[in-house]
Every structure is written in C-alpha cells, then in structure tokens.
C-alpha cells in the first residue's frame, strides 16, 4: 500500500545563498529502501530540481537541502489543519512510566502505549517513531 509523506523542506540552489522553504511529498512506492533518509533526500532533491530550476540545470545535485521536517499526514498541503494541532502537531509523545528509569511512547490516535523505553533512549526512540509513522 502506497503511503504519501509530506516534508517541509528548506533548500537552496548550489552556489547560491538564498534559501527557500516548500512542501514536498514522497511516495513510499518510489522508495526501494523504506526509512532510508539518503534515498528520501535524493527524491526530494529531484522533485525540487524539476519544480524550481531552469531548463539545463534540472539535476538533483544542484539542490542543497538545509532542513527536512516531516509534516503530519493529516496536513499534506499548506492551509489544512492538523488533527493534532493542539499538541504542536505531535501524534506520539512521551509519558512517565510506572517503572522507574523508563518512559512510554504514547499514541494519541489509538490512545495506547506504543512502547516502553529507557529514559536515556526515549527521545531518540520517539524521534524514530515520529519519522517512521508520522500521523498515519
């Protein structure tokens, strides 16, 4: 099943200082290595080159990515409201676990615990969960 994931991308043309921010969509069907950020970035550079560079310069290598931020799946286009806007756009969040030294990753969509993780690893784990699942 194809999954569309939106990204807010800040980029510039190689050799230029002026940065631009735009929204791009990556289709999971276009990825042979799901979750590979290098392949995702290559697809983003290709899309941006086609959209914004003049004929003759439409090469992904002419695009420099400065920042790639996933946009929740319920907000694929600018102007649409996010279902989790009241939570700063975050479907997944950390809560203190009953067990000392652990935190749980909570999923607001299903209102259940996704996983329990050591407090020292919780932020990294939460980041991976948000990148992988977004608001699907």
């Amino acid at each position: 099943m194809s999954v569309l994931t939106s990204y807010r991308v800040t980029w510039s043309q190689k050799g230029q200082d002026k940065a631009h921010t735009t929204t791009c969509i990556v289709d999971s069907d276009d990825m042979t290595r799901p979750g590979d950020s290098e392949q995702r970035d290559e697809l983003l550079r290709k899309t941006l080159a086609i959209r914004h560079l003049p004929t003759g310069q439409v090469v992904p290598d002419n695009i420099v990515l400065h920042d790639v931020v996933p946009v929740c799946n319920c907000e694929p286009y600018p102007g649409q409201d996010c279902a989790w806007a009241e939570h700063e756009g975050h479907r997944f969040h950390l809560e203190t676990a009953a067990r000392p030294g652990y935190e749980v990753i909570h999923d607001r969509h299903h209102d259940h615990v996704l996983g329990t993780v050591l407090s020292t690893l919780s932020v990294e784990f939460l980041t991976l969960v948000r990148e992988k699942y977004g608001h699907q």
Side-chain angles (χ1 to χ4, degrees):
M1 179 176 159
S2 177
V3 175
L4 299 177
T5 305
S6 298
Y7 296 93
R8 192 162 292 115
V9 182
T10 303
W11 64 278
S12 64
Q13 187 173 349
K14 190 180 248 181
Q16 296 186 6
D17 293 332
K18 185 176 180 183
H20 309 276
T21 301
T22 190
T23 301
C24 292
I25 297 174
V26 172
D27 188 338
S28 63
D29 283 349
D30 294 336
M31 298 196 58
T32 56
R33 300 179 312 270
D36 182 355
S37 60
E38 287 183 32
Q39 186 179 36
R40 176 205 64 202
D41 290 353
E42 184 63 24
L43 289 170
L44 292 171
R45 280 194 292 276
K46 180 179 176 183
T47 300
L48 292 167
I50 291 168
R51 271 202 227 157
H52 299 286
L53 296 183
T55 305
Q57 296 180 12
V58 181
V59 178
D61 289 340
N62 287 335
I63 298 289
V64 177
L65 300 180
H66 301 287
D67 194 29
V68 177
V69 179
V71 178
C72 64
N73 297 0
C74 64
E75 183 194 351
Y77 302 101
Q80 290 185 338
D81 291 331
C82 168
W84 289 276
E86 66 191 75
H87 304 288
E88 298 178 3
H90 297 300
R91 171 180 166 180
F92 304 100
H93 66 100
L94 290 173
E95 292 180 353
T96 304
R99 187 173 173 190
Y102 285 82
E103 291 182 285
V104 295
I105 305 296
H106 186 260
D107 180 352
R108 288 186 175 100
H109 180 66
H110 299 292
D111 195 30
H112 72 276
V113 172
L114 186 66
T116 304
V117 64
L118 283 169
S119 296
T120 57
L121 302 173
S122 59
V123 174
E124 290 85 358
F125 185 76
L126 177 61
T127 301
L128 291 172
V129 167
R130 285 179 175 166
E131 285 178 2
K132 181 168 176 72
Y133 297 105
H135 289 186
Q136 302 170 23

